[in-house]
Amino acid sequence: MNSMPPATNGKFRYRFAPSPTGFFHVGGARTALYNWALALKQDATFVLRIEDTDEARNKPEWTAGIIDALAWIGIGTGDPHFEGPYFQSQNSEEHVAAAHRLYEAGHAYYCDLTSEQIQERAKVNGKPGYDGFSRDRGLGPGPGHVLRFRVPEGVTVVDDLVRGRVEFDNGTIEDFVLLRGNGTPMFLLANVVDDILMSITHVVRAEEHLPNTPKQQLIWSALGYAPPVWAHVPVLVNEQRKKLSKRRDKVALEQYRDEGVIAPAMINYLMTLGWAPAGDAEIVPWEKIVNEFRLEDVNHSPAFFDEKKLASFNGDYLRMLTTEQFVTACSPWVTNDSVPWSRGDFDARIFSAIAPLVQTRVGYLSEVPSMVDFLFLDQPLIDADALAKAMKPEWASQLLRDVVGVFAACDWQHDVLKTELEKIGESHGVKLGKAQAPVRVAVTGRSVGPPLFESLELLGRDKTLARLKAILD
Ligand code: GLU
């Protein structure tokens, strides 16, 4: 290896290096987008490297899931800024060779202590961790011998674009392991060697890797390279300000996609976790984001991943669609196997007619079927609690009887239906808002939904009257 930074043709090289050990986490998606935005802004390269060396935890389907999820948020092949995917497991020989070079140059040494022996010594020393026992024992490679990095004295300064200058006293960093007793490389080493091999100039990643960074920076310089530009982006937390966790929180990007978050909303929302575009608006086009995004402006503190706010972003994005685009976006939700109506009863024309009214009210597309099911079901799915509540006032039954009488004969247009119900309400001394409640539950089965009178117009007189009578019976 040479002592010059790797040639990059003057172009910066970013990378995203996920480990395929589970569903693709929204935090990972945010990190990927930060890297992607910078690659586009600076006409740089975004390298996708799958860190698949933990054989026990990796599964090929997770890798496919990551590639698919990245493509969904606009990152992938087909764009000249994208390079990869590369697979870390294919570079094992390079990782081991780099470790041997470190050993030859005196930056690393072998150690044969077992973890029990290390713990024993730590007890005696009154200090946790490995105490450098084998530093000068001159051991060579052998079965069960790990290769450890010889951490020099001094201070390691990490210049981080997000965190600023972070100093680490090398005295607090133990001589960490580069190669395991079976000769396989550790993550810290593989990650650095790959970054060097791939001429990476900028490492933008999750904050949880900050404690690794002084060790990695020491490896970079021991191998003869200037370190990359570092940037550690803050973690995502839940409402209780706890780090988002797979076990507790909904963290899979795929899950949001499957609930009907659309990609532009997800991209915009993720970018604003820890960063904000100039001006008051948070909903901004991707081009503006790319133009304005700077790591220097990323917040240090943890960012709250707020599902409600995401739903509101998504709702705003859904409302920006034309009706036709919205109908197309809804299509997978209203034509799949889990809808409550029988397939043959779905009427695309009626759905297109109600779509603009649904479009103004929906957050996740997965909410759409329950907003329109009353139009395609023979009998609405009645929410018993909502019905009991709506029928509780003593005027409710008589009001429904009056409605049946009037609706049997009036013109079947939403504005007429509205005026008629308003009059009937008045005769019972209740305002339109209240008078609507029993009608809505009787006809749609629920207490909330798209605007009532337009819904009735679409449902038709016969079905509406039959449902009202069914409740009165
Ligand atoms: N493979 C690591 C992870 O998924 C990322 C390491 C890095 O970005 O340097 O957490």
Side-chain angles (χ1 to χ4, degrees):
M1 291 211 187
N2 56 44
S3 59
M4 292 292 288
T8 61
N9 301 329
K11 285 197 176 190
F12 291 155
R13 289 172 63 85
Y14 291 83
R15 86 323 186 245
F16 179 57
S19 307
T21 55
F23 285 112
F24 190 41
H25 192 290
V26 285
R30 196 255 323 239
T31 304
L33 280 170
Y34 279 5
N35 279 286
W36 184 238
L38 291 163
L40 296 181
K41 177 178 178 166
Q42 300 166 351
D43 191 21
T45 300
F46 172 108
V47 173
L48 173 61
R49 179 173 75 235
I50 305 291
E51 301 211 311
D52 57 343
T53 43
D54 183 349
E55 281 173 28
R57 293 173 65 216
N58 295 320
K59 288 194 199 150
E61 56 266 39
W62 299 134
T63 299
I66 292 171
I67 293 173
D68 189 43
L70 286 174
W72 182 61
I73 52 174
I75 306 174
T77 45
D79 189 300
H81 299 93
F82 181 87
E83 194 180 298
Y86 298 116
F87 291 86
Q88 185 155 71
S89 56
Q90 286 173 2
N91 298 334
S92 307
E93 278 176 28
E94 305 276 358
H95 306 151
V96 173
H100 289 158
R101 278 197 299 278
L102 291 170
Y103 171 65
E104 296 299 335
H107 292 297
Y109 61 90
Y110 284 97
C111 173
D112 61 356
L113 290 196
T114 62
S115 45
E116 291 76 25
Q117 288 170 314
I118 293 172
Q119 278 171 22
E120 275 310 309
R121 295 189 57 81
K123 258 189 237 159
V124 176
N125 295 338
K127 204 174 153 229
Y130 176 71
D131 62 357
F133 177 70
S134 299
R135 277 191 155 211
D136 303 311
R137 288 172 61 218
L139 285 177
H145 293 193
V146 301
L147 184 69
R148 287 183 178 272
F149 189 81
R150 190 188 299 274
V151 176
E153 283 180 6
V155 172
T156 299
V157 177
V158 171
D159 272 315
D160 189 291
L161 281 185
V162 175
R163 320 279 320 176
R165 181 186 160 96
V166 193
E167 287 189 11
F168 296 86
D169 175 356
N170 292 359
T172 63
I173 306 173
E174 69 175 35
D175 287 351
F176 54 92
V177 175
L178 299 168
L179 296 179
R180 299 184 185 88
N182 63 7
T184 58
M186 293 289 281
F187 159 74
L188 280 180
L189 172 73
N191 183 262
V192 169
V193 172
D194 280 354
D195 281 343
I196 293 173
L197 283 174
M198 296 173 193
S199 304
I200 298 304
T201 59
H202 290 66
V203 171
V204 180
R205 61 182 176 183
E207 193 180 19
E208 65 201 24
H209 290 291
L210 186 61
N212 293 332
T213 309
K215 298 178 193 169
Q216 294 195 310
Q217 188 162 298
L218 289 168
I219 301 177
W220 276 84
S221 56
L223 285 171
Y225 290 94
V229 175
W230 304 107
H232 288 87
V233 303
V235 291
L236 302 185
V237 293
N238 65 15
E239 206 160 5
Q240 286 79 43
R241 303 277 142 190
K242 294 209 177 100
K243 194 172 153 193
L244 278 195
S245 102
K246 274 189 214 169
R247 258 159 246 99
R248 196 177 36 220
D249 306 299
K250 201 161 92 186
V251 299
L253 189 74
E254 292 92 331
Q255 210 174 343
Y256 291 97
R257 179 183 59 188
D258 294 347
E259 287 182 8
V261 173
I262 58 172
M266 188 50 128
I267 293 168
N268 191 162
Y269 181 60
L270 288 173
M271 287 301 294
T272 62
L273 293 171
W275 174 80
D280 291 335
E282 283 188 300
I283 308 262
V284 290
W286 173 241
E287 293 68 32
K288 178 172 157 74
I289 292 177
V290 169
N291 212 8
E292 292 183 4
F293 182 72
R294 287 174 5 120
L295 287 165
E296 292 83 344
D297 298 335
V298 170
N299 213 313
H300 299 190
S301 35
F304 172 29
F305 184 86
D306 183 354
E307 282 180 41
K308 290 198 195 90
K309 192 154 176 207
L310 172 60
S312 135
F313 264 64
N314 199 49
D316 286 348
Y317 269 92
L318 289 174
R319 285 180 267 294
M320 285 190 247
L321 301 178
T322 63
T323 307
E324 210 183 331
Q325 290 168 328
F326 179 71
V327 169
T328 307
C330 289
S331 172
W333 275 268
V334 292
T335 57
N336 65 23
D337 287 331
S338 51
V339 293
W341 55 83
S342 6
R343 277 193 176 232
D345 292 340
F346 180 73
D347 184 332
R349 201 182 40 87
I350 293 202
F351 182 70
S352 298
I354 195 92
L357 306 173
V358 171
Q359 190 175 0
T360 55
R361 285 170 174 72
V362 70
Y364 292 156
L365 288 174
S366 56
E367 296 157 22
V368 171
S370 66
M371 293 174 96
V372 300
D373 56 6
F374 67 93
L375 288 167
F376 309 118
L377 285 165
D378 258 355
Q379 302 297 329
L381 302 163
I382 301 270
D383 171 347
D385 291 342
L387 182 66
K389 200 167 160 225
M391 296 305 291
K392 204 167 170 209
E394 76 250 14
W395 46 263
S397 302
Q398 188 52 45
L399 179 132
L400 286 192
R401 267 189 273 287
D402 297 351
V403 170
V404 171
V406 174
F407 279 15
C410 69
D411 279 350
W412 200 255
Q413 278 157 5
H414 62 88
D415 43 350
V416 176
L417 299 173
K418 181 177 172 195
T419 314
E420 293 302 339
L421 183 61
E422 203 159 19
K423 282 197 260 173
I424 297 170
E426 267 167 30
S427 72
H428 290 273
V430 292
K431 292 229 164 68
L432 181 64
K434 279 201 169 165
Q436 280 193 61
V439 180
R440 180 188 287 284
V441 184
V443 176
T444 71
R446 300 174 214 274
S447 54
V448 287
L452 180 62
F453 303 103
E454 283 88 343
S455 301
L456 298 182
E457 187 179 319
L458 282 171
L459 185 65
R461 192 193 309 270
D462 293 348
K463 280 193 179 171
T464 301
L465 292 179
R467 291 179 186 186
L468 291 169
K469 286 180 194 161
I471 293 299
L472 286 169
D473 287 347

